[in-house]
Amino acid sequence: MVLFLFDLVHSLRLLVLNITRVGGILLGNFRYRNQEMNESGFRSYFREHNSEFTLLEPLATYESAAAARELTENLLKEHPDLCGLFVSGGGITGALSALRSSQKRDDFVAVGYELFDETRSALIDGTLTMVISHPMETFARETITTLIKAKKAGADAGAQRVALGFEIHTSENV
């Protein structure tokens, strides 16, 4: 647990302390509310902890690995000061491919969204620094529980809200 926390703090510190540097953001689609909220939360973190850090406008991959690869390659080429990349949404496998093809840098932090075989491998080989994900079993269980509550409460009961946490994965805890 101590190593995990150290790695997480170290990763975020690398991004935050790179004052004159730039970070990129890839989204699957601007119309997906969850991806928009992920980007908003990411930006909020930097507003709070390092307002001098420049986050580029998000680029849409349209859930395409090929588009994500091309966008990542272009970001790396056009912004030699790029020190981080946040990929929220589809296309992460293309972004990972581009990052693996580029020269590895110790000061580069890559953050992905949702843990699956490809992101797990990228954590292990160092391509990704961390992955933020939803606990899918909890998500499924809470969805069903909330649907049952809503049905029992009837149409006049109003909206049912459930706040779910998230998990942070690094190479040390996968």
Side-chain angles (χ1 to χ4, degrees):
M1 185 66 165
V2 172
L3 282 176
F4 165 72
L5 289 175
F6 174 77
D7 186 61
L8 175 61
V9 170
H10 176 70
S11 298
L12 291 174
R13 186 170 288 139
L14 272 176
L15 275 175
V16 172
L17 292 179
N18 284 316
I19 293 172
T20 60
R21 300 194 71 197
V22 174
I25 301 172
L26 298 182
L27 296 179
N29 192 313
F30 292 113
R31 294 183 179 188
Y32 293 162
R33 180 89 169 110
N34 65 317
Q35 293 177 15
E36 181 183 350
M37 289 174 56
N38 294 343
E39 179 218 348
S40 174
F42 194 70
R43 285 185 180 281
S44 292
Y45 180 86
F46 284 95
R47 259 194 311 277
E48 224 176 283
H49 297 281
N50 185 349
S51 60
E52 301 296 316
F53 190 89
T54 302
L55 284 173
L56 300 171
E57 285 301 308
L59 302 172
T61 66
Y62 300 105
E63 306 296 317
S64 164
R69 181 183 175 108
E70 183 178 341
L71 290 167
T72 303
E73 288 170 344
N74 289 343
L75 281 170
L76 291 167
K77 185 171 72 173
E78 293 169 10
H79 300 278
D81 54 349
L82 192 76
C83 68
L85 182 66
F86 176 52
V87 184
S88 174
I92 192 166
T93 56
L96 294 174
S97 179
L99 291 173
R100 285 183 175 121
S101 305
S102 68
Q103 184 175 354
K104 202 164 206 89
R105 294 181 9 217
D106 289 337
D107 66 340
F108 193 87
V109 175
V111 179
Y113 208 81
E114 295 305 343
L115 186 67
F116 56 98
D117 290 343
E118 286 85 353
T119 56
R120 183 184 316 276
S121 294
L123 283 170
I124 292 167
D125 72 21
T127 305
L128 278 176
T129 310
M130 76 176 73
V131 171
I132 302 167
S133 68
H134 289 103
M136 285 302 162
E137 187 176 315
T138 303
F139 180 78
R141 186 175 35 256
E142 289 296 327
T143 299
I144 292 169
T145 301
T146 303
L147 287 170
I148 292 168
K149 281 182 192 175
K151 177 68 175 157
K152 285 181 180 177
D156 295 332
Q160 302 286 320
R161 286 185 171 66
V162 176
L164 289 178
F166 56 89
E167 299 170 340
I168 296 176
H169 304 278
T170 66
S171 60
E172 283 81 15
N173 70 345
V174 291

